[in-house]
């Protein structure tokens, strides 16, 4: 074995550069983060040939004093932390002091800076070969400019792994997009080969922030987004989440920030996936721009060289908070929320070439959902109980008071686990307005989905509203209504267990066996009674009664896997809901079932009062709107 010796500073920095500097975008990330940490209000980024030839980042921050310039390029030199206490509650984006040293070891770097108290600026230059810093006077306003030329000029093995100019610039653009989304209070400019690509002014107001998001993520996203802002137990989650109908084929529009730092975290991804589970179409991905604010002392940002991952002190609390917030936000979306955005889009909102949404959606800035309450007072009149699809007289179809009684006879007075799958009704009182809309004539507010006028091919319900024509897939809509009723009925009762005639013996690892023993009470709440009968053996004695036909062994193994990875499991709930979804699908109204006008209106009112009614259990949209403006375009009206 050769003798042990210290690495040269140059070689040590180049090894560190292998972790910090992967490509030009990595350099841009580090330099922009330094600029933001310096309090910059404006950051200008200029690149040439995708960043390989030149990267120039200029800011108007506090600058670096002349005496500190050589030290700024030294490894492990920083002004952001000084003790272990500082490291345990890092509030800045950078803190290790490796970036400039690593970058300068694989490029020709020049740094020009001036502080408020200096009369003139100073410039320091370093090349990767010798690492000797050369300082000279320069002209520069307060702030800092860093120029990085000929990236990897002295490490050809690294340079040959770079992609085409277009690909590298796309990575640079994505990097700046993340920084611009993280700091609305700063302005950003991006130039490529002397051409301006982005010019973003500071965005302080909500409207300016949505404009920035529209410019960076596409106007389609912001038009189909729900605004959330929730706070609890020292955590705050705010931002924008897209409606399920605006799903993506890839997870390319997902931005999550913790205290202003963009991260990719499995715990966060799992919580978001859980929140979208009931409403997302197969193999689709949600879109979101979310900001989590926590006490810096409760999150460890020093777990990854590029600081893309973090570790939460109480991961379960964070997971549950994110899941509950998003789950409630998506459940609270009602058809009138869709209408605001859909109507606005029809009047010419610009789109930015993002992937087309699966169906019409909407923006939501302030949610004021229609609560399903009747727009006219309840009357004492009752129509005969007809059952689903029963016949009523023409007078009943045209008189609002009689329709109210007819609807109540269909609904059975509320949601019940014993309610027939084929009947409509909601917890809140509702009404079916006649075709000529006397409720509108009396000055009452029109419900979001308007009033039914016809049934098309026994599949779709056509409704008319002030915004235009609404088309409803009656099976998909009724499937969601039935599914939500069954979930609510199940939640009001305890999950019943069923003893196995012969206990199931499972061979597991010692870790899994210990986990099952530790979480015995939690597993019991899920309807699973599991005992440890050996160092690596479990006995399953009871399973949920609803899942008696499921693969018990696979279910238990999946639950234990979730407990290992996330500290909790929703596997039983997921399988139970999947079963309820199948039951709801088979129990919902089928195609070619002829509905009367009151029944169609009852379905519309139920949709307005039901959570997640915009999608069926499989994530398919249940309705769409064709606005009057779109209809006018079809027939060239007004031209």
């Amino acid at each position: 074995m050769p003798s042990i010796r210290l690495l040269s500073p140059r070689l040590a920095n180049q090894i560190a550069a292998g972790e910090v500097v992967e490509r030009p975008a990595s350099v841009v990330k580090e330099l922009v983060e330094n600029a933001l940490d310096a309090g910059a209000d404006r950051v200008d980024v200029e690149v040439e040939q995708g960043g390989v030839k030149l990267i120039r980042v200029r800011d108007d921050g506090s600058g670096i004093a002349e005496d500190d310039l050589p030290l700024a390029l030294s490894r492990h030199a920083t002004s952001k932390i000084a003790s272990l206490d500082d490291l345990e509650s890092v509030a800045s984006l950078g803190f290790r002091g490796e970036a400039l040293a690593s970058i300068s070891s694989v490029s020709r770097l020049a740094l020009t800076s001036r502080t408020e108290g200096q009369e003139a600026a100073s410039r320091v230059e370093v090349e990767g070969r010798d690492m000797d810093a050369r300082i000279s006077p320069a002209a520069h306003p307060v702030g800092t400019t860093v120029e990085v030329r000929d990236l990897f000029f002295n490490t050809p093995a690294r340079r040959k792994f770079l992609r085409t100019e277009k690909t590298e610039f796309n990575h640079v653009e994505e990097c700046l997009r993340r920084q611009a989304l993280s700091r609305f209070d700063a302005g950003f400019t991006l130039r490529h080969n002397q051409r301006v690509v982005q010019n973003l002014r500071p965005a302080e107001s909500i409207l300016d922030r949505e404009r920035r998001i529209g410019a960076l993520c596409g106007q389609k996203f912001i038009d189909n987004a729900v605004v959330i802002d929730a706070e609890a137990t020292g955590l705050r989650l705010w931002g924008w989440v897209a409606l399920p109908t605006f799903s993506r084929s890839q997870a390319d529009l997902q931005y999550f920030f913790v205290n202003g730092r963009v991260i990719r975290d499995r715990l966060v991804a799992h919580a978001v996936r859980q929140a979208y589970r009931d409403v997302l179409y197969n193999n689709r991905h949600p879109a979101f721009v979310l900001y989590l604010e926590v006490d810096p002392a409760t999150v460890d940002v020093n777990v990854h060289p590029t600081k893309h991952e973090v570790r939460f002190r109480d991961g379960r609390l964070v997971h549950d908070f994110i899941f509950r917030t998003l789950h409630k936000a998506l459940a609270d979306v009602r058809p009138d929320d869709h209408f605001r955005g859909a109507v606005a889009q029809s009047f010419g909102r610009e789109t930015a070439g993002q992937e087309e949404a699966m169906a019409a959606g909407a923006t939501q800035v302030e949610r004021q959902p229609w609560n399903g309450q009747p727009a006219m007072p309840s009357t004492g009149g009752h129509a005969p109980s007809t059952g689903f699809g029963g016949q009523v007289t023409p007078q009943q179809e045209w008189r609002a008071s009689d329709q109210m009684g007819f609807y109540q006879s269909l609904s059975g007075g509320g949601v019940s686990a014993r309610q027939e799958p084929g009947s409509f009704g909601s917890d809140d009182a509702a009404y079916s307005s006649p075709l000529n809309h006397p409720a509108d004539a009396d000055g009452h507010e029109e419900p979001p989905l308007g009033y039914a006028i016809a049934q098309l091919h026994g599949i779709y319900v056509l409704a008319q509203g002030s915004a235009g024509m609404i088309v409803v897939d009656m099976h998909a809509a009724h499937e969601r209504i039935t599914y939500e009723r069954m979930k609510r009925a199940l939640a009001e009762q305890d999950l019943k267990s069923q003893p196995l005639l012969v206990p199931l013996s499972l061979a597991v690892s010692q870790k899994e066996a210990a986990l099952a023993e530790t979480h015995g009470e939690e597993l019991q709440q899920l309807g699973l009674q599991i005992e440890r009968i050996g160092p690596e053996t479990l006995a399953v004695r009871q399973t949920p009664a609803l899942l008696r036909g499921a693969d018990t062994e696979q279910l238990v193994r999946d639950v234990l896997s979730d407990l290992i990875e996330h500290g909790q499991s929703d596997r039983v709930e997921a399988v139970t809901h999947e079963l309820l979804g199948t039951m709801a699908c088979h129990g919902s109204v089928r195609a070619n079932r002829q509905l009367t006008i009151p029944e169609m209106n009852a379905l519309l009112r139920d949709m307005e009062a039901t959570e997640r009614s915009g999608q069926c259990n499989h994530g398919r949209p249940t309705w769409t709107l064709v606005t009057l403006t779109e209809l006018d375009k079809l027939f060239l009206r007004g031209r």
Side-chain angles (χ1 to χ4, degrees), residues 149-260:
R149 296 182 180 273
D150 302 327
L151 188 63
F152 300 136
F153 78 98
N154 57 347
T155 51
R158 297 287 306 280
R159 187 158 186 164
K160 70 181 182 181
F161 281 98
L162 295 178
R163 304 302 181 187
T164 63
E165 177 180 329
K166 180 180 179 181
T167 299
E168 294 300 335
F169 176 71
N170 286 341
H171 285 286
V172 170
E173 190 175 18
E174 175 64 18
C175 171
L176 195 69
R177 180 181 295 114
R178 293 173 181 173
Q179 301 297 336
L181 289 173
S182 72
R183 290 288 297 272
F184 289 106
D185 58 330
F188 296 86
T189 301
L190 175 62
R191 293 182 178 87
H192 184 220
N193 296 336
Q194 289 80 50
R195 182 176 65 88
V196 176
V197 178
Q198 288 284 3
N199 188 7
L200 304 170
R201 295 178 296 177
E204 298 293 344
S205 67
I206 291 293
L207 183 59
D208 289 339
R209 292 181 177 186
E210 290 192 347
R211 285 173 178 166
R212 175 176 286 194
I213 291 178
L216 296 173
C217 301
Q219 191 62 41
K220 272 286 188 181
F221 168 76
I222 203 65
D223 285 342
N224 289 273
V226 175
V227 175
I228 65 169
D229 193 345
E231 194 167 357
T233 61
L235 304 173
R236 183 192 177 203
L237 183 68
W238 61 279
W240 294 261
V241 293
L243 294 168
T245 45
F246 186 81
S247 59
R248 313 279 294 178
S249 60
Q250 302 177 29
D252 59 346
L253 194 48
Q254 297 182 350
Y255 298 98
F256 195 91
F257 303 87
V258 177
N259 294 342

Side-chain angles (χ1 to χ4, degrees), residues 52 127 180 236 293 351 358 376 379 390 405 454 464 503 529 594 599:
V52 176
E127 284 192 9
R236 183 192 177 203
E293 297 176 7
T351 59
M358 290 174 61
M376 56 171 52
T379 66
Q464 173 182 310
Q529 183 183 349
Q594 295 302 313
E599 287 175 330

Side-chain angles (χ1 to χ4, degrees), residues 51-65:
V52 176
K53 181 180 180 182
L54 169 68
I55 299 173
R56 181 184 291 119
V57 178
R58 182 169 184 168
D59 67 71
D60 60 354
S62 58
I64 303 174

Side-chain angles (χ1 to χ4, degrees), residues 10-27:
R10 174 188 168 212
L11 184 56
N13 285 335
Q14 287 181 331
I15 293 173
E19 296 179 341
V20 178
V21 186
E22 179 185 359
R23 60 192 342 140
S26 308
V27 176

